[in-house]
Amino acid sequence: MMMKDGAELHRAQRAFRSVLDAFAHPGTVHEVEPAPENPARPIALDAALDLVTRLFVDQAVTFGVADSEADAAAAYLTSETHARRVALRDADFIVVPARADAQTAYEAVAEACRGTLVSPEKGATVLVGCARLVGVPADASAAEPAEPAVHVVALRGPGVADVNRFAVDRIDWLNARAARGDEFPCGIEIVLVDVDGRVVAVPRSSQAGEVR
């Protein structure tokens, strides 16, 4: 990630720690401080998704964008990071803006590279923008999440003592993840980022399902 000043560097360092904590505790909500408004940023990328994307994407990796106006977002990210844009199925990182429709998001997750048994680390990371993420306490009613987060997702697996739950406004990514049928250690990592800077990580090692 290219830094323009000390404030941006410190913001990125705090955000990186938050994202690491999110991966260490899958299914729990963490926060990053969105970057200031940037007139060069295309409408497809909100400030929080932009910041989290640039934590991962640099000149050493490839990326793709799943959006109806992907070219504008890709040109911006290439300018900011010097990373190379490739087809979604070949990308190390896939960016799905919050405004992407359900079919676009589903197909992006479905196409993401799963890696191989020899090199599972080559599995893609999909950064999914959403409107809102909300933590759901273990003793709370899963049937009544705060609007507009209307789907409750439960995670189990490494890093989770019993079950971690969160509510999110979109479920297309989860449906596509389930349909892939990846077997660990192959699979994809998913990072959900809402417009206010809340972040949830869903590692390839996690079992995830919607609470109905």
Side-chain angles (χ1 to χ4, degrees):
M1 178 178 183
M2 299 181 66
M3 298 296 157
K4 296 183 175 66
D5 55 41
E8 187 175 355
L9 174 61
H10 293 149
R11 184 183 300 109
Q13 289 173 335
R14 292 191 297 270
F16 187 67
R17 287 193 293 269
S18 291
V19 173
L20 286 181
D21 285 343
F23 272 102
H25 306 282
T28 61
V29 178
H30 299 260
E31 295 187 17
V32 300
E33 177 187 351
E37 287 304 315
N38 180 351
R41 182 187 303 122
I43 192 170
L45 293 177
D46 60 73
L49 183 59
D50 179 21
L51 173 62
V52 173
T53 297
R54 290 190 289 121
L55 292 177
F56 291 101
V57 176
D58 59 24
Q59 63 267 32
V61 303
T62 58
F63 77 96
V65 179
D67 183 65
S68 59
E69 297 181 11
D71 289 348
Y76 167 80
L77 290 173
T78 296
S79 174
E80 290 288 312
T81 68
H82 296 172
R84 182 168 59 93
R85 180 191 184 187
V86 297
L88 297 184
R89 64 180 177 275
D90 300 321
D92 298 314
F93 295 90
I94 297 174
V95 181
V96 182
R99 71 176 196 171
D101 61 40
Q103 185 65 26
T104 298
Y106 186 100
E107 291 175 356
V109 173
E111 287 186 40
C113 176
R114 62 170 42 89
T116 67
L117 290 175
V118 175
S119 300
E121 73 280 0
K122 293 186 181 297
T125 297
V126 186
L127 309 173
V128 182
C130 53
R132 186 153 176 79
L133 290 166
V134 181
V136 178
D139 58 353
S141 170
E144 299 180 355
E147 293 294 342
V150 295
H151 304 278
V152 173
V153 178
L155 256 67
R156 294 177 172 82
V160 181
D162 181 19
V163 58
N164 288 338
R165 296 188 300 173
F166 63 92
V168 62
D169 65 293
R170 67 187 311 164
I171 206 69
D172 36 36
W173 61 272
L174 182 62
N175 293 335
R177 183 182 189 268
R180 289 172 57 93
D182 294 329
E183 295 187 8
F184 188 79
C186 295
I188 62 174
E189 315 276 17
I190 292 177
V191 181
L192 303 170
V193 185
D194 81 3
V195 295
D196 294 319
R198 299 181 187 88
V199 177
V200 170
V202 183
R204 64 170 63 91
S205 58
S206 295
Q207 296 85 55
E210 184 177 4
V211 177
R212 300 181 184 277

